[in-house]
Amino acid sequence: MDSLLSRLTRRLFRVWFLCSLLLALGLGSPSHRLFFHSPALAQAPPSAQLVQDGVDAYNQGDYGTAIAAWQQALETYPANAPADRAIIHENLARAYQRVGETTAAINAWEAAAEAYQQSENATQFGRMLTEQAQAYISLGQHQRAAELLCGVDPVAVTEGSDSSVGCEGGAFAIAEAMDDGVGQAAALGSLAETYRLRGNYDTAQSLLAVGLQRVRTQNLPQYEAPLLNSLGNTYGRLSRIAARRAEAAELLNRTDIAEGLWAEATASGDRATDAFDQAIAAATAQPDAPTELRSHLSLLALYQSQDNFEAMPASRQRLGVLIEQLPASRETAYAAIALAKSYEASRNFDCRAYRESPEATHWLDTGRLIAARIQDDRAESFALGELGHLEECRGRLNEAAQLTNRAQLAASNALESADSLYLWEWQSGRIYLRQNEPEKALAAYAQAIATLEEIRTDILTADQELQFDFRDTVAPIYRQYIELQLAAAPESAHTKQRAPMRHERISTVLETVDSLRLAELQNFFGNDCILVASEGARERLLQNERQTAVISSVVLSDRLALIASFADNTAKTIWVQDSEALKQTANEFQRGLKRFIVRSAYDKGLAQTLYQQLISEFEADFAARDINTLVFIHDGFLRNIPMAALHDGEQYLIQRYAIATTPSLGLTAAGAARSRDLRALAVGLSQATVTESGRAFNALNFVPAELASIAEQLPGSKTLLDGEFTEAQLKVALAETRYPILHLATHGQFSTIPEDTFVVTGSGEANASEELTFGELEALIRAASPNAEPIDLITLTACETATGDDRATLGLAGVAIRAGARSAIASLWKVNDETAAELVETFYQSLNNPTLSKAQALQAAQIAAIEAAAETANPGYWAPLILVGNWQ
């Protein structure tokens, strides 16, 4: 489970302008009261009294009574009084948002906007668009929000010499036309949030800079603090991204780049702290307690991400005061829960500090009482669930179970609460396990997975912070469920091997494994790539592959499961009992492969050890079915291991079986009839170069020969070398002709984050190489041939993957997926370019044989490399080149 401090803080700030832009019956008061003044209301005393009753109830925190009164008042107002009806719709929208009914709030904002449009009040109409957009932001619908703020088709937003912003329409354009400074500030701040939440931080910063300049020059200080708070959140995210990129650079031994990125992370973190401090000062000067609360929560979350626990007490103390002062609302309930969670120092269920904290109990109870008072089931579910987790930490399992059940019931009653429900279903499963009730635990985990599967794409694309928290908040649910499913099979006390499992049960396990792989990739790519699994993919891929075995690995808490499944609907599971020891062996094996310097005799000891642990138990099953191809769906550290280099004492694994890997069978494109026209678009970079970001790359002297051999082996191919290989010329070449194969012989890397997964282009006329990300490459391919058949194969022969980080291999695994290709050949680390040229020549020569699959063609190339060098055939030269995706 991720820290609810950061999670609830994110929920609060998706609508950070909502309580700062005062539009209900009056403007300008920082206390956010609802005002009552309208000539039309004075002429209708009964209706006016209903509105006033609603205002009184709202100010007392009785939002249900307020909503009922205003709904009744609406029924009495005639259609020819749109201005009065608009005001009531605004009141309703604010009340709905107080209790977390966002969809109802959106409907009320839309009704208010329509009424203002009827009354020809353009200023208020524009402001209603902003309010709608803020509500959509709270739902994670950022594109819809951007359209409301800046037009149906938002144009690029830039900061000009006069600090202007260009929008085709929407709330901001209306506010500019009406010279509405308040509307401009709110629209700019909200638009900045949509760009920040979609990962466009430069545009977000530009918008916030314009907004800050305008509120200062137009003397609107009440809107300065929310803008500063959003700026702090932007810098905080940039700090975390820079830190992640620094870690990835260190894994690639790019220490010079890593140093710069660590400095960038520190600088962005300092800017975030400064922005939050300024926001707190600006909010205090108003005074504006709600915005001050949000800023302190942001600061607290930043301190926790930095492990800066010494700085947290001051913000905690002030938050406690503000929560007690502010009226009851979902916001204050969430704030109390987030404050409680700040006492849990670790995300990884290190409960020691948490369970001993009286403050945590106090603030969780406070959040629960606030939620109950305003009848907010969603907020109450978070409070009850966290109280259950606290009791779980304390070992009071009966109390934990009761609270968790109440949390599930509250989440089930609340709208838009599936993203909390799965947490409590998971928690219930953990508690059942500790109570030694495995069947109930299995059912609870199954329900948590089912809930998560329904909302997985939404939460993994709408909430980018989950790209950082995924391993703590989502992946463990799948892994623990898989372990429970496998534990259902009987176990031999002597061998620690599972007895054969029924096909129905193993199919369910494999479905969960595939769902985990899909979730990992969706999380890695975020909202840049929406992934949808193909139902029945496993059966379709294997139905004509009687000689293929698919081996899935799952790294569990203390051991590793390997599941081999076959085309005859049978499967076998084996266990490696000490996964940590296996990891050490695998990492040492990989380091040994990468350390080779000369073609000397190779010590096969570790390769044989891994073979015995990972393959030998399946040998009889492979022989009985005449298996000739192994497809691996690996997990964790095993993704970094070239399986082709395992050794049985007589042969490498590649000499016995063709080998492929795939991130998920559900995402593996079905095979197509092999085209006899194997033309390739082959591009490459042989020259030493420095990219625009400052990364330096050495010359690849054998790339010209590599491209020449492709042109010879595959007639009709086109080559682009060095200066010809630019993004522009690649785009033209892709548009001119459809090529079944795209071959890239150039530097590149697969990193821990998508932004650092790229290939390097030639320098062209600009005399600087570009880093073309795989997202950009995907866009080029799809734009060039939107209706054409997908590319059959993408080959990359000079890329490398960050060492020691299995998340980086998700970038490698996703090459084919991102580029819209059936298969990809890429390298776990940079292959010697002379060896790469030799392997490529043999591979394409073998691929011309229609009786060979792509996996068998690569097998032929690697066997040729082994036989050419005989005993000195160090697998570090040939093994890192792997086939990803469809192997047929």
Side-chain angles (χ1 to χ4, degrees), residues 332-388:
T332 51
Y334 278 175
I337 300 167
L339 178 55
K341 286 295 293 180
S342 75
Y343 290 92
E344 186 177 34
S346 172
R347 296 180 183 181
N348 297 319
F349 292 98
D350 183 2
C351 291
R352 287 170 293 183
Y354 196 38
R355 70 190 178 208
E356 296 168 3
S357 170
E359 294 89 349
T361 304
H362 168 74
W363 289 116
L364 288 175
D365 275 327
T366 299
R368 178 181 59 81
L369 291 171
I370 293 172
R373 178 181 172 186
I374 64 175
Q375 299 180 352
D376 185 344
D377 288 328
R378 179 176 170 78
E380 189 172 13
S381 80
F382 275 109
L384 289 168
E386 267 308 303
L387 282 166

Side-chain angles (χ1 to χ4, degrees), residues 169 193 253 321 388 441 523 723 867:
E193 281 293 274
N253 294 319
V321 172
N523 170 247
E867 292 176 347

